């Protein structure tokens, strides 16, 4: 979906296909047929943007076979879909029964991460619509925080500098500008937007910036205006933003609140949980750790959990979502005289990880849910003065 900003520029809105995990190119093509095109039709649009997730094997197939890449581009066009952004965070196995810590490997100290991201950039340059010259990729925020020492930090920095050089060369070759954004996430080396400033200013290259995920922003109790102003002041490029909402519990000490939270503790993904106190953030790596007897989080202050809840459907009381944080961030991102970023992506990949009674039971229900999320995002954008384009 495209929108005209009051300054005349185009803002793109997509939804991320990591909600339909597939490891192979055939699986990606099936996603387009079974999910993405039905969402477009459900919205009544001639064109729909998707934030494509390509696992290692699918990316390798596309970058090594020009005919396969042309075939994917043709299929996108045929189904009324367009790609200006990729989700390069998960490397493989995102559809596994247990993902947890594995989503953070390989990290930026490992050569595989640089090779994979380079492949994604080359693929994206070939998938961009004819009238679009700028593409973006979100990626791992350096590494998970454990086993990350100065040696690995140096390797990660060198890899990102090399990536920037390759992106420069790619633009010279193709005329397409691809930028990559580190996506801060709780528990990682770059956990907050503030954590991103030092490593990104050290690299000091406009092709390497930040992807602001509003669920992660909220989970870390970051104020959107303060965070985005600091990034702007530091001249850190906001490459893209993922529009998402976290789980919020105002009174986590109450038995009924803990029972409601427990329904969201599940075995597939990590749900890092944070509590903000006057002494700073307290956190656990997963929601079940926070709820365990003798847990380390204080129960006297609100909790937020890294669980991407559907934008249009806040959890039932006594829980809520951090949709207000998303709205505040979006106002700052695109509500000013000029947008801070032009690529927005709805990323709710946890539909099948919701409590059983909230999960879609059929493909059509998932289609309806994703369409409802995009409708909410569209309405927020038009309320900020952007005009939806055909």
């Amino acid at each position: 979906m495209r929108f005209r900003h009051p300054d005349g520029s185009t803002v793109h809105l997509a939804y991320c296909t990591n909600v339909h995990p597939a490891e192979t190119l055939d699986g990606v093509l099936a996603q387009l047929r079974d999910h993405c095109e039905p969402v477009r039709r459900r919205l009544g649009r001639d064109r729909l943007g998707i934030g494509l997730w390509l696992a290692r094997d699918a990316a390798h197939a596309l970058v090594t076979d020009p005919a396969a890449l042309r075939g994917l581009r043709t299929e996108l066009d045929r189904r009324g879909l367009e790609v200006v952004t990729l989700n390069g965070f998960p490397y493989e196995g995102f559809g596994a029964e247990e993902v947890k810590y594995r989503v953070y490997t390989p990290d930026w100290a490992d050569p595989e991460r640089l090779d994979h991201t380079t492949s994604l950039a080359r693929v994206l340059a070939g998938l961009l619509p004819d009238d679009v010259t700028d593409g973006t990729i979100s990626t791992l925020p350096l590494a998970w925080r454990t086993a990350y020492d100065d040696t690995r930090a140096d390797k990660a920095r060198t890899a990102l500098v090399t990536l920037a050089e390759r992106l420069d060369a790619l633009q010279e070759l193709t005329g397409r500008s691809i930028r990559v954004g580190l996506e801060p996430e709780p528990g990682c080396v770059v956990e907050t937007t503030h954590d991103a400033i030092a490593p990104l200013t050290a690299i000091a290259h406009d092709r390497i910036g930040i992807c602001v995920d509003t669920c992660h922003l909220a989970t870390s109790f970051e104020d959107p205006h303060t965070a985005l102003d600091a990034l702007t002041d530091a001249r850190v490029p906001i490459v893209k933003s993922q529009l998402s909402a976290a789980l919020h519990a105002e009174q986590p000490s109450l038995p009924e609140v803990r029972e409601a939270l427990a329904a969201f503790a599940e075995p597939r993904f990590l749900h890092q949980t944070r509590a903000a106190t006057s002494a700073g953030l307290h956190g656990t790596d997963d929601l079940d750790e926070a709820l365990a007897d003798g847990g380390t989080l204080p129960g006297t202050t609100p909790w937020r959990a890294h669980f991407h809840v559907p934008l249009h459907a806040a959890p039932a009381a006594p829980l809520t979502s951090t949709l207000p944080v998303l709205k505040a961030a979006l106002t700052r991102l695109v509500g000013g005289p000029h947008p801070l970023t032009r690529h927005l992506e709805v990323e709710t990949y946890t539909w099948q990880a919701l409590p059983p009674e909230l999960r879609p039971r059929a493909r059509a229900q998932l289609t309806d849910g994703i369409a409802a999320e995009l409708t909410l995002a569209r309405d927020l954008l038009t309320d900020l003065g952007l005009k939806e384009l055909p």
Side-chain angles (χ1 to χ4, degrees), residues 15 17 20 28 30-41 48 50 52 79 81:
Y15 90 89
T17 63
H20 320 299
V28 171
Q31 288 175 350
L32 306 184
R33 179 193 67 226
D34 296 339
H35 298 288
C36 302
E37 185 178 11
V39 170
R40 178 184 65 76
R41 293 185 180 279
L48 177 67
I50 57 171
L52 203 58
R79 298 192 182 278
L81 306 169

Side-chain angles (χ1 to χ4, degrees), residues 113-197:
R113 177 61 64 173
L114 173 60
D115 292 343
H116 177 60
T117 309
T118 301
S119 294
L120 292 179
R122 291 171 177 163
V123 168
L124 181 56
L127 294 180
L128 289 176
D130 291 340
D131 61 343
V132 175
T133 58
D134 298 320
T136 58
I137 302 170
S138 48
T139 190
L140 178 77
L142 297 184
W144 187 251
R145 68 183 186 278
T146 57
Y148 191 76
D149 55 18
D150 289 344
T151 299
R152 293 187 68 77
D154 288 343
K155 289 181 178 179
R157 182 182 180 281
T158 299
L160 287 169
V161 170
T162 300
L163 175 66
E165 294 169 349
R166 291 179 180 180
L167 296 178
D168 284 342
L170 183 64
Q171 182 171 18
E172 290 184 13
L173 180 66
T174 67
R176 304 296 178 89
S177 173
I178 308 299
R179 297 188 298 162
V180 174
L182 304 183
E183 181 186 331
E185 177 167 314
C188 292
V189 172
V190 175
E191 176 159 334
T192 66
T193 58
H194 176 77
D195 295 337
I197 292 175

Side-chain angles (χ1 to χ4, degrees), residues 170-234:
L170 183 64
Q171 182 171 18
E172 290 184 13
L173 180 66
T174 67
R176 304 296 178 89
S177 173
I178 308 299
R179 297 188 298 162
V180 174
L182 304 183
E183 181 186 331
E185 177 167 314
C188 292
V189 172
V190 175
E191 176 159 334
T192 66
T193 58
H194 176 77
D195 295 337
I197 292 175
L200 290 176
T201 52
I203 295 170
H205 199 297
D206 62 5
R207 295 201 191 278
I208 311 296
I210 192 170
C211 168
V212 176
D213 184 300
T214 58
C215 170
H216 303 170
L217 190 80
T219 301
S220 294
F221 286 87
E222 290 194 80
D223 174 73
H225 294 287
T226 301
L228 295 174
D229 285 348
L231 292 173
T232 301
D233 291 343

Side-chain angles (χ1 to χ4, degrees), residues 57-376:
D57 289 349
H60 180 74
L62 290 165
V63 82
T64 56
D65 185 351
L69 183 58
R70 289 193 299 270
L72 176 57
R73 172 66 190 276
T74 299
E75 191 70 1
L76 288 166
D77 292 342
R78 188 169 77 86
R79 298 192 182 278
L81 306 169
E82 67 177 14
V83 174
V84 302
T85 190
L86 301 180
N87 186 333
F89 195 135
Y91 181 69
E92 62 183 348
F94 200 63
E97 291 185 3
E98 181 179 333
V99 179
K100 298 291 184 181
Y101 294 96
R102 288 188 293 169
V103 75
Y104 306 107
T105 57
D107 65 34
W108 273 102
D110 298 320
E112 294 86 355
R113 177 61 64 173
L114 173 60
D115 292 343
H116 177 60
T117 309
T118 301
S119 294
L120 292 179
R122 291 171 177 163
V123 168
L124 181 56
L127 294 180
L128 289 176
D130 291 340
D131 61 343
V132 175
T133 58
D134 298 320
T136 58
I137 302 170
S138 48
T139 190
L140 178 77
L142 297 184
W144 187 251
R145 68 183 186 278
T146 57
Y148 191 76
D149 55 18
D150 289 344
T151 299
R152 293 187 68 77
D154 288 343
K155 289 181 178 179
R157 182 182 180 281
T158 299
L160 287 169
V161 170
T162 300
L163 175 66
E165 294 169 349
R166 291 179 180 180
L167 296 178
D168 284 342
L170 183 64
Q171 182 171 18
E172 290 184 13
L173 180 66
T174 67
R176 304 296 178 89
S177 173
I178 308 299
R179 297 188 298 162
V180 174
L182 304 183
E183 181 186 331
E185 177 167 314
C188 292
V189 172
V190 175
E191 176 159 334
T192 66
T193 58
H194 176 77
D195 295 337
I197 292 175
L200 290 176
T201 52
I203 295 170
H205 199 297
D206 62 5
R207 295 201 191 278
I208 311 296
I210 192 170
C211 168
V212 176
D213 184 300
T214 58
C215 170
H216 303 170
L217 190 80
T219 301
S220 294
F221 286 87
E222 290 194 80
D223 174 73
H225 294 287
T226 301
L228 295 174
D229 285 348
L231 292 173
T232 301
D233 291 343
R235 297 186 178 181
V236 171
I238 302 174
V239 168
K240 64 185 279 190
S241 181
Q242 289 171 326
L243 307 183
S244 52
L247 197 61
H248 181 94
E250 187 68 19
Q251 297 179 287
S253 63
L254 297 179
E256 61 269 28
V257 176
R258 298 178 74 85
E259 181 180 359
L261 283 170
F264 286 85
E266 52 85 35
R268 187 170 174 186
F269 300 110
L270 277 187
H271 300 295
Q272 301 93 314
T273 305
R274 299 290 183 265
T277 71
S278 58
L281 280 183
H282 295 256
T284 62
D285 284 355
D286 216 343
L287 181 55
D288 55 1
E289 296 174 25
L291 294 169
D293 291 339
T296 58
L297 295 192
T300 55
T301 187
W303 291 4
R304 288 178 179 172
H306 172 215
F307 195 116
H308 292 235
V309 296
L311 300 187
H312 67 291
L319 303 178
T320 59
S321 83
T322 61
L323 185 62
V325 176
L326 183 159
K327 292 179 177 178
L330 192 61
T331 298
R332 183 70 181 87
L333 286 166
V334 300
H338 303 287
L340 299 182
T341 184
R342 293 183 175 87
H343 289 182
L344 305 172
E345 181 182 65
V346 171
E347 197 209 18
T348 304
Y349 58 83
T350 46
W351 275 97
Q352 299 300 342
L354 289 167
E357 67 275 12
L358 301 178
R359 295 175 195 168
R361 300 182 184 279
R363 186 182 296 167
Q365 288 179 301
L366 179 58
T367 296
D368 290 345
I370 293 170
E373 290 195 275
L374 284 166
T375 297
L376 184 145

